[in-house]
């Protein structure tokens, strides 16, 4: 642990007194567990407390690492494939946060009478959303948020979309109302009233994913 992480805790006597900390199991010789730690020993206590907390965290993590190496030995082909890259391991386990829009588009099954013009509006909206989120973290990207809305994950499947079923259902409506995502089936229901323009569709997508607890089934 770096001192810079916890130095602010003991640099001010008034702040320290407000914390009113007792030694507990870290009490040194001559002090009792329920004695208040004086400011003169604030640094000593803080460092001991942080070391103790780190050890509680470090032990289970080390056990996890040992278990990982038991499952994937360091001399295995799979381990060599990772090449020490945690992102590669994350992609293999969780999927890729970079959405392959062309592959997703090919995987879509179209339900309930989409017109070519409506599909073009949707494609334009998805491309614009991808462009708008290119410099943002995955959980902030509009396209990834939509992905989570109807699949339950911000990331695309581990093997991409080629082996995944995705269904976009056109819901016939006159008004542009919120979309509905069915995460169990990778299904997205899009009201036809929102398919007049990419701008209108994007606005309702943004509104739908914000209120996702009401739009996910």
């Amino acid at each position: 642990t770096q001192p810079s992480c916890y130095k602010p805790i003991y640099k001010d006597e008034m702040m320290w007194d407000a914390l009113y900390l007792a030694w507990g199991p870290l009490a040194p010789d001559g002090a009792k567990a329920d004695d208040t730690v004086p400011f003169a020993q604030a640094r000593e206590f803080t460092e001991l407390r942080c070391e103790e907390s780190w050890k509680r965290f470090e032990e289970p993590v080390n056990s996890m690492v040992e278990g990982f190496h038991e499952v994937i030995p360091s001399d295995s082909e799979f381990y060599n494939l990772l090449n020490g890259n945690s992102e590669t391991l994350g992609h293999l386990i969780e999927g890729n946060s970079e959405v392959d829009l062309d592959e997703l588009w090919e995987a879509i099954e179209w339900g309930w009478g989409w017109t070519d013009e409506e599909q073009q509006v949707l494609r334009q909206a998805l491309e614009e959303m991808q462009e708008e989120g290119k410099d943002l973290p995955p959980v902030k990207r509009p396209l990834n948020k939509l992905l989570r809305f109807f699949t339950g994950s911000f990331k695309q499947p581990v093997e991409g979309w080629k082996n995944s079923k995705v269904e976009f259902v056109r819901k016939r409506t006159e008004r542009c109302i919120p979309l509905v995502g069915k995460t169990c089936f990778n299904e997205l229901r899009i009201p036809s009233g929102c398919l007049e323009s990419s701008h209108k569709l994007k606005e309702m997508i943004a509104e739908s994913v914000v209120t996702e607890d009401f739009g996910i089934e």
Side-chain angles (χ1 to χ4, degrees):
T1 55
Q2 298 295 321
S4 58
C5 296
Y6 51 75
K7 186 176 180 180
I9 297 175
Y10 60 75
K11 72 176 184 177
D12 183 270
E13 185 169 0
M14 185 177 295
M15 179 188 296
W16 186 260
D17 289 342
L19 293 174
Y20 198 73
L21 296 169
W23 280 107
L26 301 175
D29 293 340
K32 297 178 180 178
D34 56 355
D35 286 347
T36 301
V37 181
F39 182 67
Q41 292 177 280
R43 177 171 181 169
E44 174 189 354
F45 174 80
T46 304
E47 291 179 350
L48 288 171
R49 183 69 177 272
C50 288
E51 288 174 6
E52 182 190 43
S53 298
W54 174 251
K55 287 177 181 178
R56 289 202 302 266
F57 169 78
E58 191 175 28
E59 289 176 3
V61 170
N62 287 338
S63 296
M64 290 174 61
V65 172
E66 290 175 7
F68 176 82
H69 285 295
E70 287 180 7
V71 176
I72 307 176
S74 57
D75 59 351
S76 67
E77 292 184 9
F78 183 76
Y79 189 89
N80 293 331
L81 176 65
L82 298 178
N83 195 28
N85 191 326
S86 60
E87 289 188 5
T88 302
L89 177 61
H91 291 167
L92 291 171
I93 296 174
E94 301 175 352
N96 194 345
S97 59
E98 300 298 328
V99 181
D100 187 330
L101 192 52
D102 290 332
E103 193 176 88
L104 169 61
W105 194 259
E106 290 297 320
I108 296 174
E109 295 182 5
W110 303 94
W112 295 91
W114 287 77
T115 66
D116 290 343
E117 291 78 12
E118 288 172 336
Q119 290 185 7
Q120 289 173 6
V121 168
L122 174 61
R123 176 72 191 216
Q124 182 180 348
L126 296 180
E127 289 177 349
E128 291 173 359
M129 290 166 67
Q130 188 170 51
E131 179 66 21
E132 291 164 5
K134 65 180 182 180
D135 296 323
L136 299 174
V139 295
K140 297 289 186 180
R141 296 173 191 167
L143 185 57
N144 292 70
K145 287 183 177 181
L146 177 63
L147 198 64
R148 182 179 184 276
F149 184 72
F150 71 90
T151 69
S153 174
F154 286 107
K155 300 180 179 182
Q156 66 179 28
V158 174
E159 296 182 349
W161 298 103
K162 55 188 177 183
N163 296 321
S164 298
K165 176 184 176 182
V166 179
E167 186 172 11
F168 281 11
V169 177
R170 176 183 178 273
K171 186 177 180 180
R172 186 174 180 179
T173 62
E174 294 183 0
R175 297 184 299 111
C176 183
I177 59 177
L179 287 69
V180 174
K182 293 180 174 288
T183 56
C184 291
F185 307 103
N186 288 352
E187 179 182 309
L188 182 64
R189 298 195 170 200
I190 306 175
S192 59
C194 300
L195 295 168
E196 297 173 358
S197 70
S198 62
H199 176 73
K200 189 173 186 178
L201 177 57
K202 285 195 302 177
E203 282 193 333
M204 185 51 70
I205 288 175
E207 182 177 326
S208 299
V209 300
V210 167
T211 57
E212 62 181 346
D213 288 342
F214 300 98
I216 290 179
E217 295 183 358

